[in-house]
Amino acid sequence: MYMRNIIALLVLVIGIANSEILRLRQCNKYDAEFSKIKYNHRLVGATITELGLLSLRKCLTRCMYHTTCHSVNYMRSNERCELVGDSAEQNSTRMTTFEQRQGWNHIETNFYRKTIGEWCMANDPCPAIKQCRDICDGTHECADFFNAGSLIPFIQDASQSSTLTHYIAMKAFDGNELTFSHTSSGNLPPWIRVTFTQRVFIYFIEFVNRLPTNQNWGNRNDHTDLKTILYEGTQSTETLFGNTGVLGVRKHFTCWKYADALLAIQLTGNRLNIGEIWMYGYAKP
């Protein structure tokens, strides 16, 4: 009985110690946010490492601690764990595909929440040109984005719903705020789209109105939806990340998404008249 109590006490102490380590490293949060379970499927093409004899919780925790892990493949019957450096939703490498495998389950993480932390995910007081990051004492920091640069060099082409005279779509992405794009009043709703030469990760954009804004065109870009587009074969996925509201002169918008193209579409107006859309992020190698 005495020996059994000693063993139980040791197990309790070790458990508390491990819990404290997890708590310190993850700001009192034991788990990342995992969701989007796909049963009897395995995501292949971006495996980081394979681990054996791990519970599902430990497998997910390993992914949470790994800086480039986006998702896991897990087989419960033999406790096999695969850390995957991509996800089906993002497919940032364009190399991942699902294969049907009995007994394997694929589970994805909210990589945005994992990267910036839960407090910043809920509050984010930083300007769009800065990244909010949790600090484990309950505060936060507004840090520079890693490897953020202009995405103009990665533009393949630009198009819009219609064009008024010579004010083509590319004038909204030419790096000159004194030029502007302009759709005509036909072909509603008005939209503008820029396509990249390769998949990019967009940290934030700066949407600039046609200048000066104290003219009759000052409100033409108000209430415009901002979306990323991902192409997979013949399919495309649009994801909303912002709306210009009452634009004024310029606004910044946090995006934090992969994209093959960027779309601005105005569902309530009849034309777009854009000075510039600056985009910042990096291209996937």
Side-chain angles (χ1 to χ4, degrees):
M1 178 66 71
Y2 177 76
M3 183 59 67
R4 185 180 302 170
N5 290 338
I6 291 295
I7 293 173
L9 180 60
L10 287 173
V11 170
L12 178 62
V13 170
I14 292 171
I16 292 174
N18 286 338
S19 298
E20 290 298 326
I21 291 172
L22 292 177
R23 185 175 296 123
L24 289 172
R25 292 177 64 183
Q26 292 299 324
C27 302
N28 296 314
K29 299 299 176 186
Y30 291 92
D31 296 310
E33 180 181 311
F34 289 90
S35 58
K36 299 181 181 176
I37 302 174
K38 191 171 183 67
Y39 295 101
N40 296 315
H41 281 79
R42 179 171 167 263
L43 191 69
V44 297
T47 302
I48 299 171
T49 188
E50 298 183 12
L51 305 168
L53 299 177
L54 286 180
S55 67
L56 176 59
R57 180 184 177 86
K58 288 182 178 179
C59 179
L60 296 176
T61 301
R62 291 291 184 92
C63 181
M64 179 177 70
Y65 287 163
H66 198 288
T67 56
T68 60
C69 181
H70 291 224
S71 61
V72 303
N73 297 316
Y74 187 76
M75 178 177 279
R76 189 178 298 276
S77 61
N78 61 5
E79 295 187 314
R80 285 184 62 190
C81 169
E82 293 180 345
L83 305 187
V84 184
D86 206 343
S87 66
E89 179 182 18
Q90 294 179 336
N91 193 12
S92 58
T93 62
R94 291 191 175 182
M95 297 172 58
T96 57
T97 57
F98 273 121
E99 65 174 18
Q100 191 166 355
R101 292 289 296 275
Q102 188 66 31
W104 281 97
N105 297 325
H106 178 73
I107 308 165
E108 300 194 359
T109 180
N110 184 328
F111 193 68
Y112 180 45
R113 174 180 171 182
K114 169 185 169 179
T115 304
I116 71 169
E118 184 169 338
W119 190 91
C120 282
M121 185 77 175
N123 301 280
D124 198 356
C126 300
I129 61 173
K130 294 284 187 178
Q131 177 185 356
C132 181
R133 293 176 183 165
D134 282 10
I135 300 177
C136 289
D137 61 4
T139 59
H140 71 280
E141 63 177 353
C142 295
D144 291 330
F145 287 104
F146 173 75
N147 201 27
S150 171
L151 294 176
I152 288 179
F154 303 100
I155 292 176
Q156 178 173 298
D157 58 56
S159 57
Q160 56 190 8
S161 54
S162 58
T163 299
L164 180 67
T165 64
H166 61 281
Y167 302 113
I168 61 175
M170 196 61 206
K171 290 184 180 292
F173 305 97
D174 61 0
N176 184 355
E177 295 183 2
L178 298 181
T179 63
F180 54 86
S181 66
H182 201 316
T183 64
S184 64
S185 57
N187 296 326
L188 302 180
W191 55 264
I192 189 169
R193 179 177 61 231
V194 61
T195 304
F196 302 105
T197 57
Q198 62 195 94
R199 183 159 293 181
V200 300
F201 189 87
I202 305 175
Y203 284 124
F204 66 93
I205 72 165
E206 182 180 6
F207 196 115
V208 183
N209 212 340
R210 176 183 171 182
L211 304 175
T213 57
N214 59 349
Q215 306 294 322
N216 61 0
W217 57 73
N219 62 354
R220 287 178 181 168
N221 302 310
D222 290 354
H223 309 294
T224 298
D225 284 345
L226 306 172
K227 299 180 178 183
T228 57
I229 305 176
L230 289 176
Y231 297 117
E232 299 299 338
T234 59
Q235 304 295 315
S236 64
T237 302
E238 296 181 4
T239 304
L240 179 71
F241 68 89
N243 182 281
T244 59
V246 178
L247 179 60
V249 177
R250 68 183 69 226
K251 281 185 180 179
H252 294 87
F253 300 90
T254 300
C255 180
W256 201 270
K257 289 177 176 31
Y258 286 102
D260 297 317
L262 179 75
L263 173 69
I265 183 168
Q266 188 186 60
L267 300 179
T268 58
N270 62 5
R271 68 189 71 185
L272 289 173
N273 195 186
I274 303 168
E276 191 72 19
I277 299 179
W278 299 97
M279 303 167 292
Y280 297 92
Y282 61 90
K284 291 295 293 182

